[in-house]
Amino acid sequence: MGATRHIFRDSGYRGLPAEFYAAAEVFPAPAPRWIVFNHALAADLGLPPDADTPELLNLLAGGEPPEGRQNLALAYAGHQFGQWNPRMGDGRAVLIGEIQAPDGTLYDVHLKGSGPTVFARRGDGRATLPAMLREYIVSEAMAGLKIPTTRSLAVVATGAPVFRDIAQHGAVLTRIARSHVRVGTFQYAAQSDGRQDLGPVLTRALADHCIARDYPELSVEPELYPGFFAAVVARQAKLIAQWMLAGFIHGVMNTDNMAISGETIDFGPCAFMDSFNSRQVFSSIDAAGRYAYSRQPSIAMWNLARLAEALLPLFGADEAGALRVAQDTLDGFRPVYSAALAAGMERKLGLTPGDARNAEFIDKLWPMLDRGRPDYTLFFRRLTQIAAGADEAGFFALFADSEPGAREGAAAFLADWRALTHDGDPARRLAAMQASNPVVIARNHRVEQALAKAADGDLGLFDRLCAALKNPFADAAPGPEDFEAPPRPEERVTETFCGT
Ligand code: AMP
Ligand code: MG
């Protein structure tokens, strides 16, 4: 184990009070096998080009850690669909260490699907190959889109079956993240749970850990903890704006699935929209639409309000004053979110930044899209092509099946857009549009096709899709599949499953 000992360092999480984690038992996989290893990410992390050794394979399949080390299951609580759950934690995941990238940034190395921990409750601690490949594809797609996200270093098959509706291949994902501290970790720290004096102590220790690791620029703030909360709120506001701009629906925005670092985390039933619908939900378990596309900003604020409750003791001894700090900071979400969304939309539409007419124009975009339900990604792609000199036929084709009157709405929008973009520098406009409107997204039907083939042992489509998603803003390289095209009616995926 000599080599792997040097690859991953012991985790800084161990510096936190013992309440925050539990040592995890090791369940070596019977027959570990590489399914995918992310060489590009490995290189970014400073791993050697031949890092994917049999030794590393064993380690990433949940094998025995290097001598003197212990895998840690992290403790957290959370609100799941609004319901409080005081004890969740890593039921089937462990932190095996951390890695320092050449630029000095520290990253957690975390395994998902490596066996049950003390937090597993009735779960088997396992994960299926399609579910882990799904997280791999979508997290790497987010990275390609330059949206803050946890990354996927590898998926290995364990050689043991996992039983869900049917027997499936078991697999372990290696997740790389700036941090695995969640809103739910703070809720876990703060809950009194018969130990009232301990809550503030644990909360402060956790906040200090997050500040040192993810918000080092704050350590000179005079108002350290309010400043920390404000920075977390701002990162989340910007993150959610990026999701909205990309048409991304997380699907399970429970407080345990919101990272303090501002990374997108936990890719379950998440999906990118094809046809625009502000009320779109894909997750099979979200019947009420709590986590629908357009609700994501308000849900993020709801989650941040839960974080504020946990942080209150750090905002000063005066309760009214602390509440005021919490409320004022939460009020900061909307302006940051709106500014990020507006700036992103200006780039997507090729508008001149700072033009006073932009806001009103963008306000009209959403109802027009809701009415016409064009493919969201292609809508901006066709507009980009028009900016490059194409005719309008491709744009209007997106409204061929729209409800009566929607095509006229799109025509009026296009006329307004032409008026707004008449002046200014056309080359700069086109460059902004090309750099912010992806050609290829992780469309549900392609993801599902790739996972079905992978479950049968054929990784060709999975590999081609991942390659295309690495450079989503470039014209797709010719191949057997057209990754730009929306699903044909018979290919449409209307529901996604955690499929854990
Ligand atoms: P998630 O839906 O992935 O956010 O998981 C919610 C909670 O359920 C977390 O505490 C997980 O660790 C736990 N969990 C999910 N699947 C399993 C499983 N197969 N075995 C044990 N715990 C699980
Ligand atoms: Mg989770």
Side-chain angles (χ1 to χ4, degrees), residues 76 182 256-257 266:
Y76 51 84
R182 307 138 188 274
D256 60 295
N257 292 337
D266 213 319

Side-chain angles (χ1 to χ4, degrees), residues 74 76 80 85 87-93 112 115-117 119-127 162 164 182 252 254 256-257 266-269 285 498 500:
L74 310 186
Y76 51 84
Q80 299 176 288
N85 185 343
R87 192 175 149 92
M88 296 179 70
D90 285 338
R92 51 152 174 181
K112 187 164 171 181
T117 72
F119 303 111
R121 288 163 293 167
R122 287 185 299 280
D124 60 2
R126 303 293 175 183
V162 169
R164 294 293 180 259
R182 307 138 188 274
V252 214
N254 295 337
D256 60 295
N257 292 337
D266 213 319
F267 297 86
I285 54 171
C498 286
T500 58

Side-chain angles (χ1 to χ4, degrees), residues 277-307:
N277 173 7
S278 61
R279 287 184 298 279
Q280 183 70 54
V281 175
F282 285 104
S283 170
S284 60
I285 54 171
D286 191 10
R290 179 178 169 91
Y291 299 141
Y293 173 76
S294 62
R295 297 203 55 187
Q296 296 186 124
S298 357
I299 289 292
M301 282 192 282
W302 191 88
N303 290 348
L304 290 165
R306 306 290 77 75
L307 177 62

Side-chain angles (χ1 to χ4, degrees), residues 133-175:
L133 288 178
R134 187 166 219 284
E135 170 147 352
Y136 187 103
I137 296 177
V138 185
S139 61
E140 290 307 297
M142 296 298 266
L145 291 168
K146 303 193 167 51
I147 299 175
T149 180
T150 66
R151 302 288 304 269
S152 297
L153 180 64
V155 174
V156 302
T158 60
V162 169
F163 299 95
R164 294 293 180 259
D165 292 342
I166 49 163
Q168 301 202 37
H169 295 291
V172 179
L173 172 90
T174 306
R175 178 160 66 187

Side-chain angles (χ1 to χ4, degrees), residues 26 56 66 141 144 175 235 306 328 360 389 425 466:
V26 173
L56 187 68
R175 178 160 66 187
R235 275 196 203 173
R306 306 290 77 75
D328 288 352
E360 196 190 329
D425 180 347
C466 288

